[in-house]
Amino acid sequence: MQRRCDRNRKRSKRRDIYCPYHSCYMNSVSQKYQLFANQPGQLQQRGISRRNALILVSNQSSVPLEGEWLEAFWCDHCQQTKWYHVHRCDERSYKLSLAPRELWQQVKGVINPEGNPSVGEFTRRQARILSYKSIQDFHLLGQH
């Protein structure tokens, strides 16, 4: 029989997310990074038909993937923080796998480590320079 305080508890319970290697409870140490699909193949891997996947991608530039995200967790057993791809199976159960590098390209709100591809090398170099002498890269026209 349940205690009365357990039956009447209105607050949500913490997520039951356990380490896939050590089976110990893991604490979240980051926000959730929502995943998006921008290619039909990514939607087909998740059970959407080819035709519907093509229609979705053509109508929307990116389709949010419900129940999937990237999140960092701290494991008490191995004393490390690792990034996991979290997939919600049902309301109270989750499937975790280490986040592959390719998955970070499907996340919104994360800075591209290679930089913006539309920015030139000169602009990228100038942004990294912290000194006031960066004006020396600009040579005045007409002087020899």
Side-chain angles (χ1 to χ4, degrees):
M1 182 156 171
Q2 286 183 326
R3 296 183 319 187
R4 184 173 179 223
C5 61
D6 291 336
R7 281 182 303 187
N8 294 334
R9 185 172 183 195
K10 299 292 184 205
R11 284 180 278 146
S12 62
K13 305 209 179 350
R14 70 181 191 177
R15 296 178 295 168
D16 292 332
I17 296 182
Y18 297 97
C19 180
Y21 306 107
H22 308 112
S23 300
C24 61
Y25 178 79
M26 293 197 306
N27 293 310
S28 175
V29 292
S30 75
Q31 68 183 44
K32 294 179 183 178
Y33 287 98
Q34 180 73 36
L35 290 172
F36 290 83
N38 56 5
Q39 297 173 359
Q42 295 165 343
L43 294 172
Q44 286 178 281
Q45 289 175 348
R46 288 158 175 85
I48 296 177
S49 69
R50 184 178 191 282
R51 181 175 178 267
N52 288 342
L54 287 168
I55 291 171
L56 279 171
V57 171
S58 66
N59 288 339
Q60 305 172 20
S61 60
S62 62
V63 180
L65 298 174
E66 297 296 323
E68 290 186 48
W69 64 89
L70 295 182
E71 191 172 357
F73 291 97
W74 171 261
C75 177
D76 284 330
H77 189 270
C78 59
Q79 298 288 308
Q80 286 183 335
T81 298
K82 294 181 183 174
W83 285 93
Y84 288 96
H85 173 216
V86 182
H87 184 268
R88 176 182 276 150
C89 298
D90 57 22
E91 191 173 324
R92 299 289 299 160
S93 66
Y94 302 90
K95 179 181 159 193
L96 271 72
S97 60
L98 280 175
R101 189 169 194 79
E102 304 83 46
L103 219 51
W104 282 100
Q105 296 171 353
Q106 298 178 344
V107 175
K108 176 184 174 192
V110 177
I111 297 171
N112 186 354
E114 284 82 36
N116 187 345
S118 66
V119 174
E121 181 59 35
F122 176 79
T123 306
R124 192 173 291 131
R125 189 175 70 238
Q126 291 300 313
R128 285 193 300 255
I129 294 175
L130 298 175
S131 71
Y132 66 93
K133 294 184 179 183
S134 63
I135 195 74
Q136 292 173 353
D137 274 355
F138 295 95
H139 298 289
L140 297 175
L141 297 175
Q143 291 186 350
H144 301 294

